């Protein structure tokens, strides 16, 4: 079956990369051993009031998001029948992630006035994931539509061929 | 005529077949549309709602963090205080800590390690501890340091010092604006009117600048930095780096 197109592999790779970045940021968030602030950066973004949601580090929520995307991606890789549903779910998660990352990047630029490079990396990864998943979903739905519309045509051709 | 009549049935069946095909096409399009709604519109709506809730929650969380808090300062009241200095004036070991009220490492040190050091060395009279300002992170650091000097005027340096760290919300994000400093002074039990005029007059501005310059000339480059019995300033990677120096100095 050709139901394992390359974009699914790209999506898995991106989700894995995102989980790596968010995992690193989660470790930083829980690392209380920071004992020196030098000139320049001092974990400004991670120590801002926006770094947590109800006491949970945003990095951890990001890690969970990437793990869900990765998990659904793996399931999709194995269950060909649920491709549309799983792609749709991943698109939805990636869209929410992209919008929230956009908000966080806005905070970094205009409220906290500091940039956390790994946070930006995560924002880029989730945006790429949205593009890949969205593209994949479009391909799936378009392929399905054309298959449905042109469905009556092939049997007739087949019937005509053996006649002569 | 008759031949044309004979031709009618096939013509009719062809005419029938065309609408059937069109119907099937319409049906397929309708189903495709339904699937588009299911697989595109529904997830987009869910994503928009989820992101909206996340942003709302984030704003609410940030406001909660910004609410003024007063920490427990009983750890300071059990030891002799003399302005910026804590502990027995005749203690054999004299430790200076340079800090910045906006520095998260200083906050971490203050809240996680200083209580143990207080218990083990300061309460027991082994160490005399002084806090000096190395306000380098930004304007709010300098303002917080000046405010702490105003609290010192009222004999409440350590109470205000602890309250500053408890209300640190980030660097240069408005944690230590004059208004918030006044609110912190309020919860720390200071005379707010006297505090306000002290802060507005910039009574201790030169003193703070002088302290920062002096620290710089001694070699302080990061916070928290420490000096034990007049040693060159050093930073620590773990609290044992400091306690070891204290133990060595008290031998």
């Amino acid at each position: 079956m050709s139901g394992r197109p390359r974009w699914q592999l790209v999506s898995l790779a991106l989700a894995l990369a995102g989980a790596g970045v968010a995992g690193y940021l989660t470790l930083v968030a829980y690392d209380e051993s920071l004992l020196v602030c030098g000139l320049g950066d001092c974990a400004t973004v991670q120590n801002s009031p926006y770094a947590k949601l109800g006491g949970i580090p945003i990095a951890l929520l990001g890690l969970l998001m990437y793990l869900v995307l990765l998990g659904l991606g793996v399931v999709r890789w194995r269950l060909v029948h649920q491709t549309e549903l799983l792609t749709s779910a991943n698109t939805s998660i990636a869209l929410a992630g992209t919008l929230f990352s956009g908000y966080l990047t806005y905070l970094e630029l205009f409220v906290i006035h500091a940039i956390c490079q790994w946070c930006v990396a995560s924002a880029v990864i989730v945006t790429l994931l949205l593009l890949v998943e969205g593209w994949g979903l479009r391909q799936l739905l378009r392929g399905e539509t054309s298959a449905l519309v042109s469905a009556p045509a092939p049997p007739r051709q087949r019937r005509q061929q053996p006649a002569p | 005529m008759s031949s044309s009549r004979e031709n009618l049935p096939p013509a009719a069946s062809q005419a029938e077949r065309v609408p059937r095909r069109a119907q099937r096409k319409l049906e397929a399009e309708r189903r495709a549309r339904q699937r588009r709604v299911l697989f595109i519109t529904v997830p987009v709506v869910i994503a928009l709602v989820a992101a909206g809730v996340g942003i709302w929650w984030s704003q609410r969380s940030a406001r909660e963090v910004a609410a003024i808090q007063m920490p427990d300062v009983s750890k300071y009241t059990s030891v002799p205080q003399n302005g910026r200095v804590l502990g027995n004036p005749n203690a054999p070991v004299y430790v200076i800590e340079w800090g910045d009220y906006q520095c998260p490492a200083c906050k971490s040190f203050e809240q996680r390690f200083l209580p143990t050091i207080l218990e083990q060395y300061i309460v027991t009279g082994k160490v005399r501890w002084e806090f000096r300002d190395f306000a380098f992170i930004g304007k709010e650091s300098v303002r917080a340091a000046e405010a702490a000097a105003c609290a010192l005027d009222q004999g409440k340096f350590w109470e205000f010092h602890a309250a500053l760290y408890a209300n640190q919300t980030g660097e240069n994000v408005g944690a230590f604006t004059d208004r918030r400093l006044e609110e912190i002074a309020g919860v720390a039990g200071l005379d707010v009117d006297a505090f306000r005029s002290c802060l507005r007059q910039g009574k201790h501005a030169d003193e703070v600048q002088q302290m920062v310059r002096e620290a710089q000339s001694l070699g302080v480059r990061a916070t928290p930095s420490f000096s034990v019995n007049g040693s060159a300033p050093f930073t620590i990677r773990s609290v044992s780096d400091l306690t070891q120096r204290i133990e060595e100095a008290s031998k």
Side-chain angles (χ1 to χ4, degrees):
Chain A
M1 170 97 199
S2 61
R4 295 173 177 185
R6 203 169 290 165
W7 63 266
Q8 289 192 16
L9 208 58
V10 174
S11 166
L12 284 173
L14 283 170
L16 200 61
V21 169
Y24 167 74
L25 285 169
T26 307
L27 284 181
V28 173
Y30 280 110
D31 181 12
E32 290 182 329
S33 66
L34 173 72
L35 274 177
V36 185
C37 282
L39 287 164
D41 174 53
C42 192
T44 306
V45 175
Q46 288 259 19
N47 281 299
S48 82
Y50 298 99
K52 285 181 178 177
L53 263 189
I56 306 162
I58 285 182
L60 179 62
L61 298 174
L63 176 62
L64 291 177
M65 177 192 74
Y66 285 116
L67 290 179
V68 170
L69 286 169
L70 192 62
L72 292 180
V74 169
V75 172
R76 174 173 62 192
W77 189 259
R78 312 202 63 159
L79 285 183
V80 178
H81 300 301
Q82 297 298 332
T83 308
E84 291 92 345
L85 182 65
L86 292 169
T87 306
S88 167
N90 267 5
T91 308
S92 180
I93 296 167
L95 176 60
T98 303
L99 292 172
F100 197 72
S101 293
Y103 159 76
L104 292 176
T105 308
Y106 159 80
L107 287 178
E108 286 179 53
L109 289 172
F110 300 105
V111 180
I112 307 169
H113 301 292
I115 277 285
C116 145
Q117 288 167 3
W118 291 104
C119 310
V120 174
S122 169
V124 170
I125 290 171
V126 78
T127 308
L128 290 175
L129 261 165
L130 172 66
L131 293 176
V132 171
E133 291 289 336
W135 185 84
L137 186 63
R138 196 168 151 231
Q139 291 299 105
L140 286 169
L141 292 178
R142 182 189 273 174
E144 192 178 66
T145 310
S146 58
L148 283 168
V149 172
S150 60
R156 238 194 320 140
Q157 276 175 344
R158 246 182 267 141
R159 230 181 285 141
Q160 273 170 355
Q161 271 168 358
Chain B
M1 277 290 276
S2 68
S3 69
S4 72
R5 249 180 228 157
E6 275 165 25
N7 283 342
L8 259 174
S13 77
Q14 209 171 359
E16 246 171 45
R17 210 187 296 158
V18 173
R20 208 187 302 149
R21 205 187 302 158
Q23 217 176 343
R24 216 179 290 165
K25 195 178 167 185
L26 273 174
E27 175 68 12
E29 277 172 355
R30 194 178 60 82
R31 268 164 54 196
R33 214 169 26 244
Q34 273 179 348
R35 289 178 80 78
R36 265 201 298 273
V37 169
L38 182 65
F39 290 129
I40 299 177
T41 316
V42 171
V44 166
V45 170
I46 291 174
L48 287 174
V49 171
V53 168
I55 291 169
W56 169 80
W57 192 13
S58 156
Q59 291 286 325
R60 211 186 69 159
S61 261
R63 268 199 304 275
E64 273 168 18
V65 169
I68 302 283
Q69 298 159 27
M70 184 60 204
D72 175 21
V73 288
S74 58
K75 63 184 176 196
Y76 298 121
T77 52
S78 56
V79 283
Q81 289 185 19
N82 179 17
R84 311 178 156 268
V85 183
L86 270 184
N88 171 16
N90 302 314
V93 181
Y94 173 41
V95 178
I96 302 171
E97 177 199 352
W98 283 276
D100 181 313
Y101 290 112
Q102 290 203 91
C103 152
C106 300
K107 176 181 179 170
S108 175
F109 177 81
E110 165 85 17
Q111 297 183 342
R112 294 179 62 222
F113 303 119
L114 192 58
T116 320
I117 290 175
L118 252 152
E119 227 171 83
Q120 287 181 353
Y121 301 103
I122 305 177
V123 173
T124 53
K126 293 178 188 162
V127 165
R128 184 160 57 104
W129 187 275
E130 178 173 350
F131 180 86
R132 290 192 190 169
D133 294 302
F134 185 63
F136 73 107
I137 291 173
K139 207 177 144 230
E140 288 183 41
S141 301
V142 175
R143 215 55 186 144
E146 290 175 26
C150 290
L152 193 151
D153 287 349
Q154 297 187 31
K156 290 207 154 109
F157 178 83
W158 289 98
E159 287 86 339
F160 190 75
H161 168 94
L164 282 175
Y165 280 129
N167 291 290
Q168 179 193 89
T169 59
E171 297 170 21
N172 304 312
V173 288
F176 301 137
T177 57
D178 284 10
R179 219 192 71 205
R180 269 181 60 97
L181 288 170
E182 284 169 21
E183 284 172 21
I184 295 168
V187 298
L190 272 74
D191 173 345
V192 178
D193 288 334
F195 174 86
R196 185 183 296 124
S197 72
C198 168
L199 191 62
R200 290 204 179 154
Q201 285 166 17
K203 195 175 160 195
H204 298 288
D206 291 342
E207 192 186 313
V208 168
Q209 289 307 326
Q210 176 65 29
M211 212 183 287
V212 173
R213 268 200 300 272
E214 190 191 279
Q216 238 162 354
S217 68
L218 284 171
V220 176
R221 295 288 176 271
T223 54
S225 279
F226 304 90
S227 160
V228 176
N229 279 353
S231 75
F234 59 91
T235 55
I236 55 171
R237 290 181 154 269
S238 74
V239 73
S240 62
D241 289 354
L242 177 63
T243 50
Q244 233 169 349
R245 299 283 287 258
I246 293 174
E247 293 288 349
E248 279 166 21
S250 57
K251 269 176 198 163

